[in-house]
Amino acid sequence: MAYIADKPTPPPSADELRARIPGWGADVDPKDRPAFPRERRDLDSGAHWNFPDRQPEIVPRERSIEHKFVTPVFGTAQPLAGLSGAIRRYAYARFSEGRAAHWLLLLAGDRVDAMESHARSLLTLHPDNPVTETGILSEFRRHPIRSRFGRNRADLSHTWLDPILVAGPWLLGGWVAVKVLRRLRGPR
Amino acid sequence: MKAMVYRGPYKVRVEEKPMPKIEHPNDAIVRVSLAAICGSDLHLYHGLMTDLRIGHTFGHEFIGVVEEVGSSVRNLKRGDKVMVPFNIYCGSCFFCARGLYSNCHNVNANATAVGGIYGYSHTAGGYDGAQAEYVRVPFADVGPSVIPDWLADEDALMLTDAYSTGYFGAQLGDIVQGDTVVVFGAGPVGLAAAQSSWLMGAGRVLVVDHLDYRLEKARTMAHAETLNFVEYDDIVVELKKQTDYIGADVAIDAVGAEADGNLLQHITGSKLKLQGGSPIALNWAIDSVRKGGTVSVMGAYGPIFSAVKFGDAVNKGLTLRMNQAPVKRQWPRLFEHIQNGYIKPSDMITHRIPLEHIAEGYHMFSSKLDDCIKTVVVPNAA
Ligand SMILES: NC(=O)c1ccc[n+]([C@@H]2O[C@H](COP(=O)([O-])OP(=O)(O)OC[C@H]3O[C@@H](n4cnc5c(N)ncnc54)[C@H](O)[C@@H]3O)[C@@H](O)[C@H]2O)c1
Ligand SMILES: [Zn+2]
Ligand SMILES: [Zn+2]
């Protein structure tokens, strides 16, 4: 018990563990552990510069205001665009990472981006298809019943929420569109 | 080229995208031969990570072949077969100079708190990832390593994140010989952490999850004792009973932001995004570890606040340790362990799919169908 000085059930002996578990104790000496000590100056990272060359900033790049300047290397995957871009740009320019507003605005930007992008995709030859994009059609190949039921899974209590989270915005969007169209066509 | 792209929460598809270009003299372009889907990708897939832009390509676990190198690259050439750590880092900033490779200051303009990660939103730097035919690899002289001849491709792939992360997580536990270690989560990271705990000299290793097929893997692959938390009224009390009411010496959170087991926490943290993730497993770790013990957090959480039981951590005098794993530091030692036959990281792989089936791959892994633990994605161009 915790109420006396030693563990009442001592751990198995080293010999016993070594016999049962491949490699048991190989790293028992902290000096053999590559993450120890956490900070050290003797590693060769492969860098052959004091400060890296600067990647050309072709499109103006948003940055955290906790940075002195745009980092010498940065990602260019999806530059800011549209209303979501404006929200994100404001989040970066106005609030540090220490402010909840920074992150909440970025989350809002993500939702607006999703709406903008879905709407834009409808005007292309490759519109969003919620059926194929959710991978739901694969269910039948992947044992939907056996994988879920009779197995004590804790997540079944909220699985019903997923379709609502995915389809909800679409249904809401459709409903709003119908309302707007009706309004535009005027009272009959 | 073909690439997986994000189309909004729970929605992904394959699109034709322009080939990545050399944007910096130390860049390389790598043709991806194998990529994997990580538990971290689920946080993106569910829309939990911030500044995740539509059109983003995920994928931070990959190996491939060097296609092209920038003008200042010395250590790699076209045709080299490389494994690439999930961290993007410069090797020379204040943090890299001290070995904190996952905390580089020169690669993420969007956030000082976060390092650079392939395909992990703009909050992780805005780099497209490797669930694609080709990927831009910044600092080619720093991150990638040529894959040794004797190392199997799928083992190399598992070392680019999942296995190295679990190994790192066990080290952060500061395990001493004979310690009792409890690992929350029997996903790839938890399995690797459990197996690695033995290497550090643990006397007992217990793994907690609610998916029996994963607990089965924890018994066979990681030789652990297992507990399905659904079978107990209160898993914390059960863990106390099993440790003579002392508690475990070390607890490892290998679950992160989407933990189950408490509906209120899960829905507010994971579904409604009112918290930076649901800290159920983290709170269980805090409650079930012994006074003076260490909690190692490998699970990922979002940047806003979560309802963590900090008071208990203070009162118990816990040491809390955590980080994104500095992957490449782990490799030389893990190579030895593989060569000695102590570990086989690819044992956790359950599925292999072509890139075209990416939507199915995400749905299956997210919904934990077909006994899925780890999925490998094979792009065509390979
Ligand atoms: N720190 C890093 O460098 C790093 C690297 C890779 C992954 N991660 C993070 O590690 C975590 C695990 O990754 P993974 O690939 O193994 O993911 P995974 O989704 O495959 O595994 C998570 C496991 O946790 C289980 N789980 C859910 N709630 C639980 C609870 N309350 N108690 C115990 N188990 C519970 C799930 O059933 C699942 O088996 C993720 O949060 C991921 O983002 C961190
Ligand atoms: Zn990962
Ligand atoms: Zn750096």
Side-chain angles (χ1 to χ4, degrees), chain B residues 57-80:
Chain B
T57 297
F58 304 168
H60 55 265
E61 299 184 277
F62 64 103
I63 63 169
V65 179
V66 176
E67 181 80 10
E68 190 188 346
V69 294
S71 56
S72 78
V73 174
R74 296 178 188 171
N75 299 342
L76 291 184
K77 55 179 190 316
R78 189 183 152 89
D80 281 345

Side-chain angles (χ1 to χ4, degrees), chain A:
Chain A
M1 297 286 147
Y3 310 94
I4 54 172
D6 290 308
K7 283 188 182 175
T9 324
S13 74
D15 287 338
E16 199 181 325
L17 289 164
R18 214 173 275 121
R20 188 161 68 84
I21 287 139
W24 182 85
D27 292 333
V28 82
D29 183 348
K31 283 201 268 316
D32 287 325
R33 303 179 185 177
F36 171 88
R38 175 169 57 181
E39 296 193 15
R40 46 194 291 185
R41 297 295 301 259
D42 59 335
L43 300 168
D44 177 12
S45 72
H48 42 84
W49 47 78
N50 279 326
F51 181 75
D53 291 328
R54 280 182 169 274
Q55 176 180 336
E57 192 180 332
I58 297 164
V59 190
R61 183 68 164 73
E62 76 283 359
R63 68 170 162 89
S64 163
I65 53 175
E66 292 177 50
H67 262 308
K68 186 169 182 186
F69 41 66
V70 170
T71 50
V73 164
F74 49 86
T76 52
Q78 287 81 34
L80 295 176
L83 175 60
S84 58
I87 297 171
R88 287 162 171 156
R89 190 172 290 115
Y90 177 67
Y92 282 107
R94 175 68 187 79
F95 299 106
S96 78
E97 296 160 56
R99 306 279 292 274
H102 176 83
W103 302 109
L104 295 173
L105 279 170
L106 288 177
L107 267 185
D110 289 356
R111 300 301 165 249
V112 171
D113 189 1
M115 287 187 279
E116 287 178 315
S117 302
H118 292 320
R120 209 176 313 119
S121 86
L122 299 178
L123 306 173
T124 68
L125 292 173
H126 196 184
D128 277 314
N129 178 339
V131 176
T132 54
E133 289 174 5
T134 50
I136 197 85
L137 294 177
S138 65
E139 281 271 333
F140 304 101
R141 279 198 294 283
R142 302 296 182 183
H143 312 295
I145 310 289
R146 170 146 59 84
S147 296
R148 287 195 178 90
F149 300 102
R151 311 184 86 181
N152 266 340
R153 285 179 56 161
D155 53 343
L156 286 185
S157 59
H158 55 73
T159 303
W160 56 271
L161 256 173
D162 295 354
I164 296 177
L165 286 174
V166 178
W170 288 79
L171 297 178
L172 199 68
W175 181 75
V176 170
V178 167
K179 282 271 169 199
V180 169
L181 282 178
R182 287 233 173 105
R183 173 87 34 105
L184 287 178
R185 278 163 57 185
R188 269 186 280 180

Side-chain angles (χ1 to χ4, degrees), chain B residues 39-40 43 161 188-189 209 214 255 260 284 298 300 323-325:
Chain B
S40 302
H43 310 323
D161 178 1
V189 173
D209 202 302
R214 290 181 170 219
V255 179
D260 269 298
W284 284 351
M298 286 299 102
N323 204 347
Q324 297 282 344

Side-chain angles (χ1 to χ4, degrees), chain B residues 20-335:
Chain B
K21 288 195 292 284
I22 300 276
E23 299 183 50
H24 177 276
N26 212 251
D27 279 1
I29 304 299
V30 168
R31 174 159 43 90
V32 180
S33 34
L34 295 178
I37 307 180
C38 178
S40 302
D41 291 328
L42 293 180
H43 310 323
L44 299 174
Y45 182 65
H46 297 148
L48 269 169
M49 192 68 190
T50 49
D51 204 354
L52 174 53
R53 304 183 189 172
I54 304 296
H56 201 61
T57 297
F58 304 168
H60 55 265
E61 299 184 277
F62 64 103
I63 63 169
V65 179
V66 176
E67 181 80 10
E68 190 188 346
V69 294
S71 56
S72 78
V73 174
R74 296 178 188 171
N75 299 342
L76 291 184
K77 55 179 190 316
R78 189 183 152 89
D80 281 345
K81 248 180 94 172
V82 289
M83 49 201 288
V84 184
F86 77 80
N87 327 99
I88 299 175
Y89 61 109
C90 75
S92 60
C93 68
F94 180 92
F95 304 104
C96 288
R98 285 160 179 75
L100 298 170
Y101 296 157
S102 48
N103 310 105
C104 178
H105 214 57
N106 275 336
V107 291
N108 185 350
N110 297 76
T112 56
V114 188
I117 306 177
Y118 293 94
Y120 212 69
S121 84
H122 276 67
T123 292
Y127 300 90
D128 268 335
Q131 287 161 15
E133 290 182 316
Y134 297 88
V135 60
R136 171 191 173 204
V137 172
F139 294 113
D141 282 334
V142 177
S145 280
V146 173
I147 301 177
D149 290 335
W150 54 266
L151 184 61
D153 284 357
E154 288 188 343
D155 285 321
L157 178 65
M158 292 301 105
L159 293 190
T160 62
D161 178 1
Y163 206 97
S164 298
T165 297
Y167 184 58
F168 176 67
Q171 291 172 73
L172 289 196
D174 280 330
I175 296 167
V176 300
Q177 184 172 334
D179 271 356
T180 296
V181 180
V182 56
V183 179
F184 292 92
V189 173
L191 292 170
Q195 196 173 30
S196 301
S197 298
W198 294 122
L199 299 174
M200 316 281 151
R204 269 182 88 188
V205 178
L206 302 102
V207 176
V208 178
D209 202 302
H210 67 107
L211 298 173
D212 283 330
Y213 74 92
R214 290 181 170 219
L215 291 171
E216 166 73 21
K217 193 73 160 187
R219 289 190 292 274
T220 54
M221 177 178 173
H223 311 278
E225 301 167 52
T226 59
L227 297 98
N228 184 331
F229 66 75
V230 176
E231 288 168 17
Y232 303 94
D233 174 48
D234 186 328
I235 189 68
V236 170
V237 174
E238 180 61 24
L239 286 165
K240 290 283 166 68
K241 281 186 194 159
Q242 297 223 6
T243 53
D244 295 321
Y245 290 89
I246 296 173
D249 301 290
V250 177
I252 301 176
D253 167 2
V255 179
E258 300 187 63
D260 269 298
N262 175 317
L263 199 58
L264 181 68
Q265 285 267 33
H266 182 88
I267 289 183
T268 56
S270 181
K271 297 291 190 236
L272 303 179
K273 287 100 180 167
L274 299 176
Q275 309 188 49
S278 90
I280 303 166
L282 179 53
N283 285 338
W284 284 351
I286 288 171
D287 283 327
S288 57
V289 78
R290 72 166 167 88
K291 284 177 263 195
T294 300
V295 174
S296 158
V297 187
M298 286 299 102
Y301 292 88
I304 61 169
F305 30 75
S306 293
V308 177
K309 298 186 65 190
F310 220 78
D312 275 351
V314 173
N315 292 332
K316 293 176 76 170
L318 302 186
T319 301
L320 304 183
R321 304 202 56 196
M322 61 209 86
N323 204 347
Q324 297 282 344
V327 166
K328 200 176 179 180
R329 271 178 75 168
Q330 320 306 317
W331 285 351
R333 188 68 178 163
L334 283 174
F335 286 169

